[in-house]
Amino acid sequence: MVALGRAAAAKRRVVFIVLDGVGVGALPDAAEYSDTGSDTLGNLSRIIKLNLPNFQRLGLGNIIALQGVLPTQTPLCLPGRLAPASHGKDTTVGHWEHMGLITSRPFPTYADGFPPEIIKAFGAAIGRQVLGNKPASGTAIIAESGEEHLATGAPIVYTSADSVFQLAAHVDVVPLEQLYDWCRIARRLLQGPHGVARVIARPFAGTAGAFVRTTDRRDFSLEPSGPTYLDLLQEAGVPVLALGKVGEVFVGRGIDTTIKVATNDDNLALVIDLLRGRSPKGRFDRGLLVTNLVEFDMVWGHRNDVEGFARGLAAVDAVLPSLFASLRSDDLLIISADHGVDPSTPSTDHSREYVPLLLYPRPANAPRAVYEGSFADTGATAFKYLTGGPSTLAGTDINDLRPSRGWRRYTPIVRVTGADPDWLPTRAGSDEADEAARWLRKNLGPAPDGAVILGSGLDPSLSSPTISEVAYDRIPHWPTGTVGGHPCRLSLVKWGALRIALLRGRVHEYEGYDLGEVQLAVNTMAAWGVRRMIITTASGAVDERYVPGDVVVIHEILDCQYPNIDGEPVRLRGTDASLLAALGHTWSVHASVTGPQYETPAELAVLRSLGAHTVSMSPAGEVRAVHDQRMHLATLTVVANAGDTTHDEVLAAVEKAGRGLTRAIEAVFAIWTAPTTSEMGSR
C-alpha cells in the first residue's frame, strides 16, 4: 500500500463493521470461562449448512472450516483470525481492545446476583424495591416477574455470565426517561470493585403471557480506563461516526456523531446511504465509521436461535454487493467481531472465542495465508490509514505484512470423490497429517507393519506385550472422541514378527468433527509410512441371517453420509479383492450412516432394499481416505445387535466377540505378509 502524508491520509474513509458475537472458535483459555467447544460459526455450519456466497468470495471460509462456505484461492479480502490480549468476553472488553485499550482485569460478574449493599443502595435511591436480582435470560425473567412488576411497580434486576446490571420495566409503568435515569443511578453506584462493564435498560411492553422487549434498549457503559484510538483520531482532527450501541460502549468519548440504529438491516442500509452521501441523518465524507450489528448477539445468540442466526448471516451476505459498490477506491473496510455467542451450546451467554478478520482491499503483497493477530490490530490499522502516523497504543498495522506477524495456511479442502459436493473444507488436511506423522516417527520410531482402527468396544485379545502407548490428544492435531468404548489411545504392539499400531477408538462427524478430522488418523498412518490398514466397526444386523457375535468381512460400503448428486449412496470397495477369496469369511454389504441415533425399523427396511446386510455410523470416511492413500485395505465388522438396542448393549455384545475378531485380523495380516511364489522360488 502506498504511504501517504498525513494531510492526504486524513481525507480517507474507514468503515469498521462489528458482527456482534460472531466468533470463529474457542480460544486456548476457553475452559477457564466454561466455553470449551464453543465455535459460533463452525458449530452453526455443522447444524445448518450455510449459504453465504458473498462472504465466501471475501474469504470467510478460509479462516475456519465452514460447511457451505468454502475456502477460495483468491479471496477479495485479507482473511484473518484475531485473539484478544484482554481478559473477559464482554462487548465492552472486545470493543475497547479493537480500539487499542487492553483490559488486564476482567469486569466483575455476579453468579448469585448483586450483593445486598448494592441492591439496598439502589432501591433507596429510586425509592422502590426490586425484583429478581439473579442471573437469567431477559425474556424468561420478564415472563416470570412481569405480572408482579405491573402490580408493584418494582423494576426487575437481573444479570448473566457477562458483566452486566440489567434493569427491566414495562413502558406503561416506568416511562423510558425514568428508566434511563434509574440506570444512570445504578451506573454511579457500580464503580470500583463493583464496576460492571454495562448497565442496560431493558424496557418491555405487552400483556401478561405476551410481554415483548421494545427496541429502546440503552447501554450505560463504564468510561474507558485509558486512551483509545478514537481519542487519538479526535485529537488529530479526524471525525468519528458511531452507529448503534458503539457510542454507548465508549460513553461517547472520542466520538463526534452518534446515530441510533436498531436492527441489522436498518444499520447496513444506513451505512450504504452514508457511503453514497444520500442519508438525511448525516454525512460521512471522511474519517472512521464504526458500527455494530447487534442482532447476532442480542436477538439470536443469547436465545440460542440457530435458525435465526443463520438467517441473519444470509441477510448480511445479501447486502455485501451493495456495500462494496458504495465504497470509494481509497476506502478501507474492516469486518470483525467482539466475542462469540455460540447459539448451539446450552449456554446463553457470550463465549471466549477468536474473531474473524476480513480486510478490504486485500494488500497487494499479502501472502496466500490467513492472518493471525490481535483485536487491537484493527484500530491500529484504521488509525495509521487515516492519519499516516504511528501510535503508542496496543496493536500493529495489519498492512505491515512481515512474516513474523503470524500466518496460517488457508483452510484445506478434503476431496470426496463421487459425492455431492465432491469437496469440503476441513480443519485437518495433509499438513496436519504430516506434522502428526513426524511426531509419531520421533516418539514411536519407524512406521509399523500395519495399523488397525478399532470400533466401539472392539479390542482383539493379543498375547504379545504393548511396546508403547500414547493418548490421541498428545499427537499433534488428533481429535479425541467422547463416545463410550472409544478410549482414543494408540498402542504399538508386537504381534508375532510384526509391529502393529492399534488405534483404539475413532471420532465421528456426529460429535462435531469434520470429514478431514475423521480421516486424520488414516492420513497420518499413510504419512508415517504405513501401507496396510484394517478398519473395524461394531454394527447392527440389517439382514436377519446375521446374529450378534458374527465377524464379517465387508465387501462393499454404501456411503449414505456423502451421497451422489441424485441422492443415492456412493458404493465404496471395503476390502481388497485379493483378500476376499483367501479369507473365506462371510462377507457383507455395509451401510455407513450419519447417526448418532440407532436405526428405526423403517430405516432398516430402506437399507435392506438397497442390499445392505449390516449398518453402523462408520467407516465410510476412513475407507475413502485409505483409497485416496492407495493403501491395502480390509474392513471387518462385528455384529453387535439385531433390532432395537442401546450403546451399552452394543459394548456388551462386542466384548464377547474378541477372539473371533483376533482370528480375522491375524488371517488378514498372514495373507498380506505371506511370501509370494517368486520369493519362495528364489530361496
Side-chain angles (χ1 to χ4, degrees):
M1 185 169 293
V2 179
L4 298 181
R6 295 195 178 201
K11 297 179 182 179
R12 291 171 164 179
R13 301 189 301 185
V14 174
V15 179
F16 183 21
I17 298 176
V18 178
L19 306 176
D20 199 328
V22 181
V24 289
L27 285 157
D29 62 356
E32 299 173 20
Y33 295 80
S34 301
D35 290 328
T36 302
S38 290
D39 183 357
T40 299
L41 276 186
N43 288 340
L44 181 71
S45 79
R46 285 182 278 276
I47 297 171
I48 297 178
K49 185 176 179 181
L50 300 175
N51 181 24
L52 306 173
N54 296 307
F55 269 122
Q56 179 170 305
R57 282 190 282 272
L58 299 191
L60 182 63
N62 294 30
I63 302 171
I64 59 169
L66 298 174
Q67 301 299 320
V69 185
L70 295 168
T72 175
Q73 301 302 313
T74 56
L76 189 60
C77 294
L78 174 68
R81 186 181 71 166
L82 306 179
S86 297
H87 295 279
K89 52 179 181 177
D90 190 85
T91 293
T92 302
V93 168
H95 281 72
W96 284 6
E97 185 170 344
H98 272 300
M99 290 299 128
L101 177 59
I102 306 298
T103 304
S104 58
R105 181 180 299 175
F107 294 119
T109 57
Y110 297 87
D112 299 315
F114 295 94
E117 62 267 26
I118 292 295
I119 295 300
K120 287 179 180 178
F122 177 69
I126 68 172
R128 303 192 190 188
Q129 299 296 313
V130 302
L131 304 174
N133 189 28
K134 62 182 181 180
S137 159
T139 52
I141 200 167
I142 289 170
E144 174 187 314
S145 302
E147 287 189 77
E148 186 176 357
H149 163 70
L150 291 176
T152 64
I156 304 168
V157 171
Y158 65 103
T159 186
S160 70
D162 302 319
S163 182
V164 291
F165 178 102
Q166 305 194 74
L167 193 63
H170 196 287
V171 293
D172 293 339
V173 176
V174 181
L176 275 177
E177 287 306 319
Q178 184 177 11
L179 179 62
Y180 295 159
D181 283 341
W182 288 355
C183 287
R184 293 185 184 97
I185 291 170
R187 180 73 280 170
R188 289 193 293 271
L189 288 171
L190 293 165
Q191 299 290 331
H194 294 302
V196 296
R198 288 174 295 155
V199 174
I200 306 175
R202 291 288 198 176
F204 65 97
T207 58
F211 292 129
V212 292
R213 295 197 290 197
T214 74
T215 59
D216 296 304
R217 162 187 167 153
R218 187 165 174 183
D219 291 25
F220 298 81
S221 298
L222 276 178
E223 184 170 334
S225 57
T228 72
Y229 283 116
L230 302 184
D231 297 318
L232 299 187
L233 286 171
Q234 199 170 58
E235 291 173 7
V238 178
V240 175
L241 170 60
L243 307 186
K245 71 177 185 181
V246 173
E248 296 169 351
V249 171
F250 290 93
V251 199
R253 215 179 76 183
I255 295 170
D256 297 279
T257 306
T258 294
I259 302 176
K260 187 171 179 59
V261 188
T263 69
N264 289 359
D265 290 344
D266 291 345
N267 197 316
L268 289 172
L270 178 57
V271 169
I272 291 171
D273 285 346
L274 288 166
L275 289 172
R276 293 177 177 177
R278 66 185 189 192
S279 172
K281 295 188 176 183
R283 297 183 61 83
F284 180 56
D285 295 324
R286 67 187 185 95
L288 173 65
L289 184 158
V290 188
T291 189
N292 176 291
L293 302 187
V294 70
E295 287 186 295
F296 290 115
D297 178 81
M298 183 178 71
V299 178
W300 305 308
H302 284 303
R303 298 178 187 176
N304 287 351
D305 184 353
V306 172
E307 292 78 10
F309 208 109
R311 288 194 302 270
L313 287 169
V316 174
D317 185 84
V319 175
L320 288 176
S322 296
L323 174 65
F324 275 76
S326 304
L327 296 172
R328 297 191 312 220
S329 60
D330 61 345
D331 285 345
L332 182 73
L333 173 66
I334 302 171
I335 300 176
S336 190
D338 50 350
H339 51 72
V341 60
D342 191 337
S344 72
T345 65
S347 170
T348 60
D349 295 308
H350 295 165
S351 44
R352 178 82 169 168
E353 296 188 47
Y354 293 98
V355 300
L357 168 72
L358 295 170
L359 176 71
Y360 177 84
R362 175 186 173 84
N365 58 337
R368 187 178 165 274
V370 176
Y371 177 86
E372 296 274 0
S374 71
F375 281 31
D377 293 350
T378 57
T381 302
F383 181 82
K384 177 70 175 295
Y385 195 73
L386 291 170
T387 67
S391 168
T392 57
L393 301 184
T396 307
D397 180 14
I398 297 168
N399 291 291
D400 177 6
L401 299 172
R402 290 173 295 176
S404 60
R405 296 300 302 280
W407 298 89
R408 177 171 51 86
R409 70 186 184 120
Y410 290 164
T411 298
I413 293 177
V414 58
R415 308 298 295 188
V416 194
T417 307
D420 178 33
D422 66 353
W423 31 258
L424 289 170
T426 176
R427 291 183 289 262
S430 58
D431 286 358
E432 285 75 18
D434 289 343
E435 185 178 345
R438 286 193 296 271
W439 188 93
L440 291 173
R441 198 172 295 115
K442 177 181 178 181
N443 290 277
L444 301 184
D449 299 291
V452 182
I453 296 178
L454 297 167
S456 294
L458 297 178
D459 195 356
S461 53
L462 304 179
S463 56
S464 299
T466 298
I467 302 171
S468 56
E469 187 172 73
V470 62
Y472 285 3
D473 59 11
R474 288 190 58 200
I475 304 172
H477 308 294
W478 273 37
T480 298
T482 58
V483 179
H486 293 268
C488 291
R489 301 187 67 82
L490 187 157
S491 301
L492 194 62
V493 302
K494 188 75 173 177
W495 203 340
L498 304 177
R499 290 168 65 249
I500 304 296
L502 295 181
L503 280 61
R504 302 179 186 274
R506 57 164 56 93
V507 297
H508 307 79
E509 289 177 77
Y510 65 73
E511 296 177 80
Y513 295 107
D514 63 45
L515 180 59
E517 290 171 309
V518 169
Q519 295 179 328
L520 182 58
V522 171
N523 291 331
T524 298
M525 292 297 105
W528 194 8
V530 174
R531 302 313 306 157
R532 305 180 182 102
M533 176 67 71
I534 297 177
I535 297 175
T536 73
T537 179
S539 65
V542 177
D543 190 313
E544 60 187 15
R545 290 175 298 176
Y546 294 94
V547 297
D550 284 350
V551 178
V552 183
V553 178
I554 295 176
H555 163 60
E556 185 176 66
I557 293 173
L558 299 178
D559 185 355
C560 300
Q561 295 175 270
Y562 294 96
N564 63 25
I565 195 168
D566 297 320
E568 298 175 350
V570 175
R571 295 180 179 269
L572 307 171
R573 173 176 50 82
T575 298
D576 293 348
S578 59
L579 283 173
L580 290 174
L583 285 170
H585 268 251
T586 304
W587 58 266
S588 78
V589 174
H590 183 82
S592 188
V593 298
T594 56
Q597 70 286 340
Y598 290 105
E599 298 72 35
T600 66
E603 290 169 332
L604 290 173
V606 171
L607 294 175
R608 200 171 293 117
S609 71
L610 294 172
H613 304 111
T614 53
V615 60
S616 72
M617 299 154 204
S618 53
E622 296 158 346
V623 166
R624 284 179 177 275
V626 171
H627 290 333
D628 291 341
Q629 297 292 351
R630 300 181 182 277
M631 303 165 78
H632 295 294
L633 171 66
T635 310
L636 309 174
T637 186
V638 174
V639 178
N641 66 285
D644 294 338
T645 190
T646 66
H647 191 64
D648 288 341
E649 291 172 341
V650 169
L651 296 181
V654 298
E655 185 178 0
K656 300 175 182 178
R659 187 56 199 157
L661 178 64
T662 301
R663 287 195 296 267
I665 292 174
E666 289 174 338
V668 170
F669 277 116
I671 295 169
W672 275 339
T673 57
T676 63
T677 302
S678 59
E679 289 173 335
M680 294 176 67
S682 65
R683 291 178 181 174

